[in-house]
Amino acid sequence: MKKVYLAMGTDIIHHGHINVIEKARELGEVTVGILTDEVIVSYKRYPILSYDERKKIIENIKGVDNVVKQEELDYTPTLKELKPDYVVHGKDWRSGPQQKIRDKVIKTLAGWGGELVEVEYTEDVSLDKLDEKIEKLGTTPDERRKRLRDLIEMKDIVRIIEAHNGLTGLIAEKTKVTKEDKIESFDGMWISSLCDSTVKGKPDIELVDPTSRLRTINEILEVTTKPIILDGDTGGKIEHFVFSVKTLERVGVSAVIIEDKIGLKKNSLFGTEVEQQQDSIENFCKKISEAKKAQVTDDFMIIARVESLILDAGMDDALERAEAYIDAGADAIMIHSKDEEPDDILEFCDHYEDFEYKVPLVVVPTTYCQITEEELVEAGVDVVIYANHLLRSAYPAMKKAAESILENNRAKEADEEYCMPISDILTLIPGGK
Ligand code: SPV
Ligand code: MG
């Protein structure tokens, strides 16, 4: 009996896949390699069906003799182990992002005289359309809340971008860039206090009240499905924070980050230019532990933000605090810096590696933005937050359009240079027509 291998890299199984399996059956004994959740998340998006669910379905399909785990997008390690006579795949991968993977499969099979067999692609199934349908179904607070923990488990680095209203939420949700072998997208959203305050024309000093913050959160929740991390500023009084945690859990927020400051909080990027006071380790630990006791679900994360490097309190203080906050129950640590070089953050990461008990590490590279995600992964960072980039990019464009109208005493120039077409804005939001 000849050995036949095919890999299932999809989380939506349809009759096109059955056609491929049927072809494989004709050739011999069929082994299906199921891509892990980690692989799917790394090249596409969060899988709709988990590995275990997909495995259960696939091993019960007629004609499937064995299933194995494929732990990379690249087939090579699995092929070298199984040495199949045939690999079966749809013809669709001859062009596009999978082309390189195909070339490698042919080369690897040639090592033992194996052959690639390609079947006609089932044209009437559009995975993009199915994806769209599923997106429309939305999500539930329970589903969304737990996604952040899942993503931290699955990915080398979780990529979060700022959103401050429904529209920016949609940008975070839908923006995709197709690269050679994968699709890049954001994993979730950061609701920044700086941006939520700035869009309201207010300073970032905890002036925007909790009801208003919650309205922003709701606006974003309504039109997106990805997990949300809330910038909780200082968390306020302990007695108030425990209530906020329950509210955030209930609506489906995944995590809140609170910073170890007291008194009138100012934005961290001012550093020591303005008066800012760090909380005592004891009090901040109490805030964390009381909040952990208050939370209802296991999924919600309380993330402690260490401001020692921002306030020039030194590396030893930062490390001492991180350790104490973890002991108090913090689910992750955010280390912040306003240096233009990443050196202090990397030094912190270096020491953090040696901690006996570690939790995920979060960074916000606003001032040291030259650092790459690859370098952050290397340093042991688990979550990167691009904390203000949608607001900071929109504002200069809006200002230029306003100035252009004043300069020209008409809108033609602004219209041509800075504005999207009316037809596009009318149909920007699905269902708007
Ligand atoms: C925010 O985005 O509001 C933050 C990050 O807290 S920072 O502005 O760098 O302090
Ligand atoms: Mg903030």
Side-chain angles (χ1 to χ4, degrees):
M1 194 82 164
K2 298 274 189 191
K3 283 196 281 182
V4 190
Y5 182 73
L6 62 100
M8 301 268 285
T10 177
D11 55 341
I12 304 172
I13 296 155
H14 55 71
H15 59 278
H17 301 117
I18 303 294
N19 293 345
V20 178
I21 292 171
E22 277 174 354
K23 178 69 198 171
R25 269 178 82 191
E26 289 169 16
L27 298 168
E29 187 187 86
V30 179
T31 299
V32 178
I34 305 173
L35 263 61
T36 58
D37 293 342
E38 287 79 357
V39 176
I40 293 187
V41 109
S42 73
Y43 85 96
K44 200 161 56 173
R45 53 158 170 66
Y46 191 89
I48 289 149
L49 294 176
S50 71
Y51 175 83
D52 289 334
E53 289 164 337
R54 288 178 286 121
K55 178 169 177 277
K56 206 166 185 176
I57 295 170
I58 293 164
E59 64 193 2
N60 282 294
I61 293 176
K62 200 164 91 187
V64 173
D65 298 293
N66 313 296
V67 296
V68 295
K69 218 181 231 185
Q70 187 173 315
E71 296 187 74
E72 286 177 45
L73 212 46
D74 180 2
Y75 284 43
T76 317
T78 320
L79 292 184
K80 282 193 171 154
E81 212 178 303
L82 298 175
K83 296 212 166 44
D85 301 288
Y86 300 107
V87 165
V88 183
H89 199 285
K91 281 186 181 161
D92 55 305
W93 72 341
R94 288 183 177 178
S95 59
Q98 292 197 78
Q99 210 175 328
K100 277 210 168 130
I101 295 170
R102 176 183 183 267
D103 293 346
K104 226 169 160 189
V105 166
I106 295 172
K107 228 188 211 163
T108 311
L109 284 171
W112 54 87
E115 211 185 299
L116 172 67
V117 176
E118 289 174 322
V119 300
E120 284 306 326
Y121 184 60
T122 312
E123 292 294 348
D124 59 338
V125 180
S126 160
L127 281 180
D128 281 349
K129 283 228 170 74
L130 288 174
D131 265 355
E132 238 175 62
K133 272 192 190 164
I134 287 161
E135 256 174 36
K136 265 199 198 135
L137 287 177
T139 186
T140 63
D142 286 341
E143 273 299 313
R144 188 194 303 244
R145 193 193 308 109
K146 74 180 177 57
R147 254 198 204 189
L148 181 65
R149 277 193 194 272
D150 288 352
L151 285 163
I152 292 173
E153 278 282 307
M154 285 178 196
K155 295 197 69 173
D156 285 343
I157 193 158
V158 174
R159 185 192 288 138
I160 303 288
I161 189 159
E162 169 262 318
H164 53 266
N165 57 19
L167 183 61
T168 45
L170 282 173
I171 292 175
E173 179 88 6
K174 291 186 185 292
T175 305
K176 288 187 182 111
V177 169
T178 305
K179 294 202 180 151
E180 264 186 3
D181 56 350
K182 60 178 166 184
I183 298 168
E184 302 278 13
S185 57
F186 292 99
D187 296 305
M189 292 154 286
W190 161 247
I191 305 188
S192 145
S193 67
L194 171 64
C195 298
D196 202 6
S197 308
T198 306
V199 286
K200 291 173 174 62
K202 299 212 164 138
D204 181 18
I205 52 171
E206 298 188 274
L207 178 61
V208 178
D209 66 81
T211 313
S212 174
R213 299 291 312 276
L214 200 56
R215 213 176 296 138
T216 306
I217 297 170
N218 264 321
E219 225 180 78
I220 296 168
L221 285 169
E222 270 194 76
V223 294
T224 61
T225 63
K226 290 183 178 177
I228 289 177
I229 303 177
L230 177 74
D231 176 357
D233 289 319
T234 64
K237 290 189 172 71
I238 295 177
E239 294 82 348
H240 293 179
F241 186 51
V242 290
F243 275 93
S244 310
V245 164
K246 285 193 165 72
T247 305
L248 297 173
E249 281 188 282
R250 193 171 57 244
V251 297
V253 168
S254 301
V256 62
I257 299 188
I258 49 167
E259 58 195 277
D260 55 0
K261 293 209 282 247
I262 47 165
L264 182 63
K265 187 224 80 150
K266 299 260 174 82
N267 185 274
S268 298
L269 301 176
F270 283 126
T272 50
E273 271 172 49
V274 292
E275 213 182 293
Q276 306 208 56
Q277 204 188 333
Q278 211 168 4
D279 201 351
S280 69
I281 295 184
E282 195 191 0
N283 192 57
F284 199 66
C285 283
K286 187 152 184 263
K287 201 179 272 187
I288 296 165
S289 59
E290 290 298 316
K292 285 308 293 173
K293 273 189 253 162
Q295 84 179 56
V296 180
T297 67
D298 291 336
D299 305 323
F300 190 72
M301 296 175 78
I302 312 258
I303 303 177
R305 164 169 168 177
V306 177
E307 291 283 288
S308 308
L309 304 180
I310 293 283
L311 300 173
D312 283 346
M315 188 59 68
D316 288 345
D317 185 71
L319 293 163
E320 186 190 345
R321 283 172 178 271
E323 211 154 15
Y325 301 161
I326 294 172
D327 282 347
D331 297 297
I333 293 291
M334 171 183 152
I335 181 69
H336 203 17
S337 164
K338 61 177 272 299
D339 261 25
E340 281 168 19
E341 294 299 326
D343 302 8
D344 57 352
I345 288 289
L346 293 176
E347 191 187 332
F348 179 91
C349 292
D350 223 25
H351 292 295
Y352 192 77
E353 278 287 299
D354 298 332
F355 275 26
E356 201 176 321
Y357 183 65
K358 282 196 281 284
V359 292
L361 195 55
V362 183
V363 298
V364 179
T366 300
T367 51
Y368 56 99
C369 54
Q370 67 276 35
I371 199 155
T372 63
E373 289 171 4
E374 206 177 352
E375 287 166 326
L376 291 173
V377 172
E378 180 72 18
V381 169
D382 299 281
V383 179
V384 55
I385 300 179
Y386 298 101
N388 43 46
H389 298 80
L390 297 186
L391 179 63
R392 280 171 59 216
S393 54
Y395 179 78
M398 292 192 285
K399 199 156 177 283
K400 275 188 195 143
E403 284 167 356
S404 168
I405 292 173
L406 293 179
E407 260 160 32
N408 298 291
N409 297 115
R410 65 175 186 181
K412 183 174 184 289
E413 291 74 14
D415 198 283
E416 282 167 5
E417 262 195 74
Y418 308 116
C419 301
M420 67 196 289
I422 287 289
S423 56
D424 286 2
I425 187 90
L426 287 176
T427 52
L428 180 68
I429 310 297
K433 209 169 186 180

